[in-house]
Structures are given as structure tokens and as C-alpha cells.
């Protein structure tokens, strides 16, 4: 049986149409970036949108096959000197933090994209950075956050760990931050009645750890001998050292703190025949919690509550009168609430 070439033409044409239809389907099937990146982005007007950050991460990863889930939160805020502060928090698979300061929001965004990409697949980033020329502005971003990974060897690409500067860490860019704070002090531990005073201090912050020194005063609290008008007015001064560890960072920083505090308790006689003034030093130890809520970089609200245990409990008495004016309790409470400024 003879088949003409015109009879074959429709079959070839149909095959070409089917093949042409498969090409874009295959192209669409290849994901442009890992679908396992949970990226949360918050930045002021004038900074790149989240889509540009995702595109930069995808460009750096290229055809990486890594699909380990990663959860990232990036926040950019203006500081008082009109510079920018970028806070990068990796929630999973391994928690880590990174802080970048700079003048160019776009460069800082690209630096953040590089950190995220290196956390996912450092080998793929090394290959793509070597193979693709980065945008001119990316040079500044890389200088602000991490050196460009070197290209792999010609024979066989070795397995490389991400450079330390690009790896998210619990410390920020400068490792240590300073802070100053002032707060209202509410004291029940070393004074007869609940007293309100003032405390101020400062310290350092490094990742999950913070240490503070403080001084405070509770100006007035009074007590008297039971059944008599005679008694004393009390004034309390103290110096304090705190060491705190942070088990929870977001949405509110929660610290567990231990402290040592040296008190000076001044008693002045009231309604007594012979006036007297007596000062007693009392050392105490404490354990409690501190909450830190950042309202606007670099300002935060801080509140603390500690249980205080005095290591000695002297009695305050009035000579020639029967009865005790005051003796500190075995355990008391101390609290403060105020503002802190990081620098």
C-alpha cells in the first residue's frame, strides 16, 4: 500500500506541537528557588521589597538541590543617626542571629540574602558567585557582611564550610553591645514597708548573655515598736551586680538572672527620747527574671522581678524600750520597671 508524503505531514506536525507544548511545561516545572524558605521581611519605605530579596537568594543558590527547611525573619529599621540597622534571626533548623549596621538599605538587603543563601547551601553559592558576576552594588554589601566565597578547585570541588563572617551567629556584628538603663525601684525585701525608689545602671549584651551593674536608693520607709509610737525611719542604698541568660528571644526577650547586692540600711529614730542614727551593711543574693521588649531601636522597655535573700538579718531596737523596731525578712521581693538604651 502506498502512503503519500502529504498523509505523513499531519502526524509530524502533531508531534511538533506536542513537543513544543512540553518545553514550557518542563521549564515551569523547575523551581526558581527552594520552596522551603519561610522568609519574613520588614523594612521601611525606600528599601527593596521582599520579592527582590527572594530573587537574590534564588540567584545565589542557582540550581542547588538543597531543600532543608529554613525559617528566617529579617527586620530593617532606621537608627537615630539616620543609619540603618538590620536584624536577621534564623529560627530553624539552627537558631542564630546577625546584626548589620550601614548607610545603604539595598546593600544591606543583599548582604542578608547572601547570609541566608550560605546557610542553605554554601557550595552552591560558591559556584554561582564564581560563575556569575554580581551586581556592582553587591560588592559593598559583601564587604559589610561577609567575604565572597572563593571558587572551587578545577579538578574536584571540595566541600567548603561557610566563612565565619557569613555564618549566622548568636553574637552581632561587633560581638558585644553596651546598654544604659534607668527604672523605678519597688522594694519589699530590706525595708519595713513597701518602698518606691530609683535605680540606674548599665552593662553589656552578647547574644544570649547579659551582665549589668546598678545603684539604687529607696528614700523612705518606716516602722515602730508594736503598741508604741516610738520607731524609726529607714532609708536604703544598694549596689548590685546581675548575670542573666536568655532562653527566649522573641517576641519578648526573657532572661533568667542571678544577682548579688550590697545594701546599706540607715535607721533614724522617731518619737524617741534620745535621737539616734544607725547604718547597717547587709549583703543579699537573689534569683529572678527580666523581660525586655524593644519598642524602637535602640530603645527598649525592661521589667524585672527578683526574690532576695539577705545573708544576715540584724535587729533594729531602741535602747531602754522593750521590743524590736524592725528585722529584715528571710526572703523578700524586689522589682523594677524602666527604659534601656543600647549602643
Amino acid at each position: 500500500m502506498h502512503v503519500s508524503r502529504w498523509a505523513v505531514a499531519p502526524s509530524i506536525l502533531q508531534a511538533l506541537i506536542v513537543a513544543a507544548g512540553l518545553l514550557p511545561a518542563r521549564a515551569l516545572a523547575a523551581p526558581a528557588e527552594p520552596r522551603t524558605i519561610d522568609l519574613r521581611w520588614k523594612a521601611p519605605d525606600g528599601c527593596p521589597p521582599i520579592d527582590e530579596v527572594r530573587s537574590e537568594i534564588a540567584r545565589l543558590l542557582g540550581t542547588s538541590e538543597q531543600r532543608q527547611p529554613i525559617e528566617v525573619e529579617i527586620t530593617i529599621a532606621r537608627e537615630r543617626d539616620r543609619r540603618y540597622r538590620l536584624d536577621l534571626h534564623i529560627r530553624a533548623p539552627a537558631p542564630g542571629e546577625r546584626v548589620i549596621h550601614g548607610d545603604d538599605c539595598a546593600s544591606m538587603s543583599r548582604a542578608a540574602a547572601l547570609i541566608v543563601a550560605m546557610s542553605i547551601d554554601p557550595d552552591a553559592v560558591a559556584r554561582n558567585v564564581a560563575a556569575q558576576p554580581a551586581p556592582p552594588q553587591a560588592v559593598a554589601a559583601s564587604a559589610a557582611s561577609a567575604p565572597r566565597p572563593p571558587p572551587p578547585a578545577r579538578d574536584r570541588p571540595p566541600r567548603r564550610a561557610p566563612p565565619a563572617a557569613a555564618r549566622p551567629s548568636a553574637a552581632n556584628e561587633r560581638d558585644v553591645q553596651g546598654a544604659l538603663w534607668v527604672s523605678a525601684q519597688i522594694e519589699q525585701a530590706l525595708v519595713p514597708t513597701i518602698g518606691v525608689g530609683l535605680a540606674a545602671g548599665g552593662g553589656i549584651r552578647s547574644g544570649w548573655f547579659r551582665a549589668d551593674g546598678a545603684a539604687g536608693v529607696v528614700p523612705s520607709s518606716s516602722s515602730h515598736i508594736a503598741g508604741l509610737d516610738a520607731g524609726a525611719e529607714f532609708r536604703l542604698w544598694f549596689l548590685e551586680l546581675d548575670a542573666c541568660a536568655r532562653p527566649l528571644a522573641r517576641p519578648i526577650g526573657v532572661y533568667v538572672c542571678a544577682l548579688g547586692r550590697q545594701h546599706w540600711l540607715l535607721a533614724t529614730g522617731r518619737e524617741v527620747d534620745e535621737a539616734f542614727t544607725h547604718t547597717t551593711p547587709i549583703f543579699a543574693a537573689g534569683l529572678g527574671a527580666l523581660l525586655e521588649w524593644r519598642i524602637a531601636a535602640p530603645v527598649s522597655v525592661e521589667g524585672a522581678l527578683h526574690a532576695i535573700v539577705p545573708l544576715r538579718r540584724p535587729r533594729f531596737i531602741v535602747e531602754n524600750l522593750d521590743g524590736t523596731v524592725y528585722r529584715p525578712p528571710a526572703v523578700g521581693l524586689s522589682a523594677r520597671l524602666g527604659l534601656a538604651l543600647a549602643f
Side-chain angles (χ1 to χ4, degrees), residues 41-212:
W41 174 260
K42 183 179 180 181
D45 294 339
C47 292
I50 188 173
D51 291 341
E52 289 189 17
V53 180
R54 290 184 180 278
S55 297
E56 179 66 9
I57 296 173
R59 185 188 74 82
L60 292 168
L61 290 174
T63 57
S64 169
E65 296 297 328
Q66 293 285 349
R67 291 296 184 273
Q68 185 180 24
I70 183 170
E71 182 180 346
V72 184
E73 179 181 340
I74 303 174
T75 302
I76 298 180
R78 282 189 179 274
E79 298 186 307
R80 290 193 303 174
D81 56 2
R82 301 197 63 79
R83 300 184 75 210
Y84 291 97
R85 173 191 171 106
L86 184 147
D87 291 89
L88 186 149
H89 300 273
I90 295 182
R91 310 297 182 201
E97 298 181 6
R98 181 78 172 174
V99 176
I100 301 173
H101 298 268
D103 300 315
D104 184 4
C105 188
S107 298
M108 296 170 66
S109 302
R110 284 188 290 272
L114 174 60
I115 295 173
V116 174
M118 292 289 284
S119 302
I120 296 172
D121 192 344
D123 289 342
V125 174
R127 291 192 299 270
N128 290 319
V129 170
Q132 305 174 16
Q137 298 89 340
V139 177
S142 298
S145 63
R148 178 179 295 181
R154 294 180 180 179
D155 298 335
R156 179 173 56 87
R159 181 77 179 177
R160 296 173 187 261
R167 189 182 303 145
S169 67
N172 66 19
E173 193 176 47
R174 295 171 295 171
D175 292 331
V176 177
Q177 274 191 325
L180 296 173
W181 54 264
V182 62
S183 65
Q185 183 78 21
I186 303 174
E187 194 72 23
Q188 180 268 334
L190 270 295
V191 289
T193 57
I194 295 177
V196 178
L198 184 68
I204 59 172
R205 315 285 188 267
S206 181
W208 53 267
F209 175 78
R210 64 179 279 171
D212 289 275

Side-chain angles (χ1 to χ4, degrees), residues 97-340:
E97 298 181 6
R98 181 78 172 174
V99 176
I100 301 173
H101 298 268
D103 300 315
D104 184 4
C105 188
S107 298
M108 296 170 66
S109 302
R110 284 188 290 272
L114 174 60
I115 295 173
V116 174
M118 292 289 284
S119 302
I120 296 172
D121 192 344
D123 289 342
V125 174
R127 291 192 299 270
N128 290 319
V129 170
Q132 305 174 16
Q137 298 89 340
V139 177
S142 298
S145 63
R148 178 179 295 181
R154 294 180 180 179
D155 298 335
R156 179 173 56 87
R159 181 77 179 177
R160 296 173 187 261
R167 189 182 303 145
S169 67
N172 66 19
E173 193 176 47
R174 295 171 295 171
D175 292 331
V176 177
Q177 274 191 325
L180 296 173
W181 54 264
V182 62
S183 65
Q185 183 78 21
I186 303 174
E187 194 72 23
Q188 180 268 334
L190 270 295
V191 289
T193 57
I194 295 177
V196 178
L198 184 68
I204 59 172
R205 315 285 188 267
S206 181
W208 53 267
F209 175 78
R210 64 179 279 171
D212 289 275
V217 59
V218 178
S220 180
S221 181
S222 63
S223 182
H224 61 85
I225 299 175
L228 300 176
D229 292 332
E233 292 286 340
F234 291 87
R235 179 175 297 176
L236 180 72
W237 289 274
F238 64 85
L239 294 176
E240 178 181 311
L241 289 177
D242 297 48
C244 304
R246 185 184 65 195
L248 181 62
R250 288 291 185 275
I252 297 178
V254 178
Y255 291 85
V256 177
C257 301
L259 64 85
R261 186 192 283 181
Q262 179 62 56
H263 303 81
W264 290 269
L265 187 57
L266 170 66
T268 302
R270 185 190 67 182
E271 300 291 337
V272 294
D273 295 335
E274 296 183 10
F276 69 88
T277 299
H278 181 67
T279 301
T280 300
I282 304 173
F283 185 81
L287 186 66
L290 182 146
L291 304 182
E292 177 186 59
W293 176 39
R294 181 177 297 173
I295 54 177
V299 180
S300 60
V301 175
E302 293 187 350
L305 178 65
H306 295 93
I308 305 295
V309 179
L311 301 190
R312 58 187 297 260
R313 301 169 58 206
R315 292 180 183 273
F316 290 83
I317 62 174
V318 177
E319 292 185 4
N320 302 323
L321 291 178
D322 186 18
T324 300
V325 176
Y326 172 63
R327 187 186 185 194
V331 180
L333 295 177
S334 177
R336 68 177 177 88
L337 178 65
L339 296 175

